Amino acid sequence: MMLSLKQVEDYDQQGFLIIKDFISGSQRQALMQHAAQLIDAFEPQAKRSIFTTDEQERSSDDYFLKSASNISFFFEAKAIDNEGNFTVPKHQSINKIGHAQHLLDPVYKNIVKELDFANIGRALGIVQPRAVQSMHIFKQPSIGGEVGLHQDSTFLYTQPKSCIGFWLALEDATVENGCLQALPQGHKIPLKQRFKLSKNGGTEFECLDNTPWPKAPLALLEVPAGTLIILHGQLPHYSAANTSSKSRQAFTLHLVDDTCDYPEDNWLQPLKTL
Ligand SMILES: O=C(O)CCC(=O)C(=O)O
């Protein structure tokens, strides 16, 4: 699709843009059904081993870092109890699937191509769009976790900064089930931190600006299924825990500009060949 001048202006002014009916019902169903099939085929350990804190951190860091270039499954924190047992059935335990299905999985790959995010990225200033990360987020009923206030350029840093996030509602997103919340015009504040590889092989946050978040209220971005929300990489956004009985599935894709420098110590090192 082509963005209008007004849409580009709104994005530049507010730091986000909402486009209703961006994706068809059949495309949404295809993505959700496919995710369900991937979860069918995924075999979590029946009982997760108990590690010491250090080992646990190392192994989850390792799984997380490898997910940059494969299709990994992450659990909702509340889906596993202190003894490592699942508290819910497998299909309700997954927080998200990520981070390279847009490159590796034919169903995601086709839909990403059909929706032509790269063209929208170009309209918003990216010279050479490169999709570096995708996520299928579930926000499970009753246990879907909170996502703390953050800026996406923290995780996908380039010099100069270029990240744009595309957040696609696969189901209705409401206050009850943890819709996105964002700070209007918040993309004008500096980037607060960078999440990067640390010297010991793990990950760490580097502080870039330690002023507190602005006190202004967040806008509640309640949207019907099929809506696309485009987020500027510096726009602070958040989502609350889902305590309702409905899931709130979303698909996200992040673009950066390949003409910018992508540091070797970014946590996410995308597949080199693509
Ligand atoms: O879907 C959510 O709840 C949050 C997603 C998000 O913040 C992100 O993709 O950066």
Side-chain angles (χ1 to χ4, degrees):
M1 74 168 283
M2 291 283 288
L3 293 186
S4 67
L5 197 57
K6 165 93 173 62
Q7 284 174 314
V8 175
E9 276 171 12
D10 281 354
Y11 172 84
D12 285 341
Q13 271 168 24
Q14 297 303 317
F16 65 94
L17 181 68
I18 296 179
I19 305 177
K20 289 218 170 114
D21 298 319
F22 181 78
I23 182 172
S24 69
S26 57
Q27 284 170 317
R28 283 194 293 111
Q29 290 308 328
L31 284 178
M32 291 193 287
Q33 276 165 17
H34 186 61
Q37 283 165 358
L38 292 180
I39 296 172
D40 276 341
F42 166 61
E43 287 179 21
Q45 291 166 272
K47 189 172 160 97
R48 286 160 60 95
S49 9
I50 316 284
F51 296 102
T52 65
T53 311
D54 267 8
E55 277 166 334
Q56 175 76 67
E57 263 170 26
R58 246 197 312 279
S59 97
S60 59
D61 259 350
D62 194 43
Y63 187 76
F64 179 67
L65 291 177
K66 286 191 175 132
S67 75
S69 54
N70 68 26
I71 302 173
S72 294
F73 299 78
F74 298 90
F75 298 108
E76 295 283 5
K78 286 191 176 160
I80 297 165
D81 68 15
N82 290 341
E83 273 79 52
N85 297 307
F86 285 97
T87 58
V88 289
K90 180 170 75 165
H91 277 268
Q92 279 130 57
S93 71
I94 307 294
N95 168 290
K96 67 178 173 189
I97 302 176
H99 289 96
Q101 57 264 41
H102 62 295
L103 301 174
L104 300 174
D105 180 287
V107 174
Y108 285 102
K109 214 169 152 173
N110 277 341
I111 289 192
V112 164
K113 200 167 156 212
E114 274 168 30
L115 298 175
D116 204 1
F117 294 104
N119 197 32
I120 303 179
R122 275 187 216 99
L124 298 176
I126 292 186
V127 175
Q128 217 167 292
R130 179 174 189 193
V132 284
Q133 170 184 277
S134 52
M135 294 188 269
H136 191 122
I137 302 172
F138 293 86
K139 204 71 149 178
Q140 299 286 357
S142 311
I143 59 165
E146 173 189 64
V147 178
L149 193 65
H150 66 280
Q151 298 161 296
D152 288 342
S153 286
T154 288
F155 300 94
L156 298 166
Y157 183 74
T158 61
Q159 282 171 323
K161 292 182 277 294
S162 63
C163 170
I164 297 181
F166 295 86
W167 188 98
L168 198 43
L170 300 178
E171 297 180 300
D172 293 344
T174 63
V175 169
E176 289 73 33
N177 69 2
C179 66
L180 281 187
Q181 303 187 28
L183 184 67
Q185 304 186 12
H187 61 309
K188 294 173 185 164
I189 68 169
L191 185 63
K192 304 198 71 58
Q193 49 183 4
R194 245 195 91 192
F195 183 66
K196 59 178 199 179
L197 300 174
S198 61
K199 298 238 163 20
N200 65 8
T203 54
E204 65 186 12
F205 283 97
E206 176 190 357
C207 178
L208 303 175
D209 171 79
N210 65 5
T211 53
W213 293 110
K215 286 272 184 292
L218 300 177
L220 296 167
L221 308 185
E222 288 195 291
V223 293
T227 303
L228 174 67
I229 302 180
I230 307 177
L231 300 160
H232 186 287
Q234 267 162 268
L235 185 82
H237 59 285
Y238 163 88
S239 73
N242 181 6
T243 52
S244 81
S245 58
K246 289 192 177 142
S247 61
R248 195 233 56 196
Q249 293 193 43
F251 174 71
T252 70
L253 185 83
H254 284 84
L255 298 182
V256 296
D257 192 333
D258 225 9
T259 64
C260 300
D261 178 51
Y262 191 92
E264 281 177 10
D265 62 355
N266 270 3
W267 85 267
L268 186 144
Q269 290 304 317
L271 284 168
K272 288 271 187 301
T273 52
L274 295 150

